[in-house]
Amino acid sequence: MRYAMAIDTRKCVGCSDCVVACQTENNVPIGFCRDWVVEVMDGSYPQLEIEIRSERCNHCANSPCVRCCPTGASHYSDGGIVLVTENKCIGCGACIASCPYDARYSHPEGYVDKCTFCIHRIQKGLEPACVAACPTKCMYFGDMDDPNSNVSKILKVRKYKTLIPEAGTDPQLYFLI
Ligand code: SF4
Ligand code: SF4
Ligand code: SF4
């Protein structure tokens, strides 16, 4: 099993409903977030194109954050989901420094936090909160090893890219282009 998410940059309107849904679902403290929206302008006037992306932890299959964690707090869980065990984390910040995607933050309670792919919801058969909340249905989540999962099906028919592939982290977030 290999969990992954695909995000359609052609359908995302940048409303940030995914950000609010995540903060609510996961009790993210005020002033912090586990996901965020990026807008990138390309081309030159008047031929301008804007790409809008909802970003979060890439749940990298070769993640530097897991490798560098001195306590084993950062680890791979079911389906390759990268998690932090709060009571094993000493808040050293090595993982924050190692992440090429700036996907982690220091929680005020002394541990490092980030996207969990809403594993607590997946285990109940639900979609991640951000996926469920998106008004344009631009996110697809599921098991890459299952050819019938939403994410496998969309990646078969659409072009996609990953972010900073040169970092060699094998990211599991795919951006449909
Ligand atoms: Fe770790 Fe960053 Fe990759 Fe997430 S995006 S698994 S925090 S290296
Ligand atoms: Fe591991 Fe916590 Fe240090 Fe990150 S801050 S490397 S999770 S002990
Ligand atoms: Fe937040 Fe869950 Fe979406 Fe990750 S999968 S960004 S934890 S709502």
Side-chain angles (χ1 to χ4, degrees):
M1 188 182 290
R2 159 64 56 193
Y3 286 120
M5 191 182 281
I7 296 128
D8 192 343
T9 64
R10 303 208 167 255
K11 274 164 81 182
C12 177
V13 293
C15 65
S16 293
D17 280 7
C18 51
V19 180
V20 176
C22 178
Q23 287 168 325
T24 308
E25 174 75 25
N26 296 299
N27 293 319
V28 178
I30 291 169
F32 298 95
C33 55
R34 288 179 172 188
D35 57 349
W36 58 93
V37 175
V38 173
E39 298 187 9
V40 187
M41 194 83 82
D42 199 15
S44 52
Y45 184 83
Q47 301 294 328
L48 290 173
E49 263 200 13
I50 190 160
E51 180 177 284
I52 309 178
R53 306 192 293 257
S54 170
E55 294 187 11
R56 59 197 46 60
C57 168
N58 286 258
H59 294 276
C60 309
N62 181 26
S63 64
C65 60
V66 170
R67 246 190 338 268
C68 76
C69 178
T71 68
S74 285
H75 64 283
Y76 299 106
S77 185
D78 297 347
I81 296 178
V82 175
L83 294 179
V84 180
T85 306
E86 294 169 12
N87 62 11
K88 278 175 121 182
C89 175
I90 55 172
C92 67
C95 55
I96 296 177
S98 77
C99 173
Y101 306 96
D102 204 15
R104 295 174 165 236
Y105 70 92
S106 281
H107 193 286
E109 287 178 12
Y111 57 90
V112 165
D113 190 45
K114 65 168 202 69
C115 167
T116 59
F117 264 173
C118 281
I119 190 166
H120 63 292
R121 288 175 57 94
I122 299 166
Q123 285 166 343
K124 289 186 211 152
L126 299 169
E127 292 183 306
C130 53
V131 176
C134 177
T136 68
K137 301 285 166 225
C138 79
M139 283 180 265
Y140 304 79
F141 180 82
D143 178 7
M144 293 282 273
D145 291 339
D146 173 3
N148 292 315
S149 72
N150 287 345
V151 71
S152 297
K153 284 199 281 196
I154 198 76
L155 291 177
K156 258 183 228 135
V157 295
R158 289 282 301 273
K159 284 190 184 159
Y160 58 83
K161 65 178 179 184
T162 55
L163 298 181
I164 326 181
E166 61 276 19
T169 60
D170 197 1
Q172 300 302 308
L173 243 59
Y174 297 87
F175 292 89
L176 307 178
I177 51 178

